[in-house]
Amino acid sequence: RKAFFRHELEALLLLAQETGTDPLNFYGSYAGAIGFPQFMPGSIRAYAVDFDEDGRIDLENSAVDAIGSIARFLHQHGWRRGEPILFPARQLAGCSLPDELFKSGLNAKYTVKQLNERCIATDTDVPVHLRFGLIDLPNGTAPPEYFIGTGNFFAITRYNRSYFYAVSVVPLGQAIQEE
């Protein structure tokens, strides 16, 4: 973590120089995340955009810049417009899940057929041309909840690595889209 934060300090100083801002005027979380999207300085430099076209990038006061910057981040991390994100799944009865399913990292690498062969099924129509990764959410003493996620789900996990976060923002985004 030391190397990560040293890199982010350097990115903050470069950001301050590039924008003509006193580095002491940046406000962020205790870990250094800044603005509405809670981007680290390195992410601001890599992904932030002036989406409202007012001549400056303002992630602290412009929701439009923040949304555009998050969209750019997701796109750069593999988001595909119109692709589904997540489907409920279940473990087939009497079948053990192989460890390999939990070691694929933040990737969608299995076909539906491969998941079925490894004891995972869905009760909804799932696009067979896509790749998926298994998401398991611990549920206290109850059995875990399972989902299969597409590349779009894993793009969200590049923004926040928590599966709980990514699973929760999907219905939130769908509700906003319906408004």
Side-chain angles (χ1 to χ4, degrees), residues 103-170:
K103 294 180 181 174
S104 63
L106 302 175
N107 298 299
K109 67 183 235 179
Y110 297 105
T111 65
V112 173
K113 182 180 179 197
Q114 289 171 324
L115 287 169
N116 292 157
E117 291 168 352
R118 289 168 177 82
C119 303
I120 294 294
T122 63
D123 294 325
T124 55
D125 288 331
V126 176
V128 295
H129 67 283
L130 294 177
R131 299 274 177 167
F132 299 90
L134 179 64
I135 295 105
D136 65 322
L137 298 181
N139 210 0
T141 58
E145 286 185 77
Y146 294 107
F147 297 88
I148 57 171
T150 67
N152 281 351
F153 177 84
F154 292 102
I156 296 169
T157 64
R158 301 287 191 302
Y159 183 79
N160 184 314
R161 294 197 181 273
S162 167
Y163 282 173
F164 285 105
Y165 174 87
V167 167
S168 68
V169 299
V170 171

Side-chain angles (χ1 to χ4, degrees), residues 19-67:
T19 61
T21 305
D22 182 336
L24 298 176
N25 286 339
F26 286 100
Y27 296 98
S29 71
Y30 74 95
I34 297 170
F36 290 134
Q38 289 292 282
F39 275 2
M40 293 300 286
S43 290
I44 293 172
R45 294 186 70 234
Y47 306 109
V49 294
D50 176 18
F51 206 65
D52 61 12
E53 299 180 341
D54 68 352
R56 66 188 194 99
I57 297 168
D58 184 0
L59 300 182
E60 294 182 56
N61 301 297
S62 172
V64 175
D65 284 358
I67 290 168

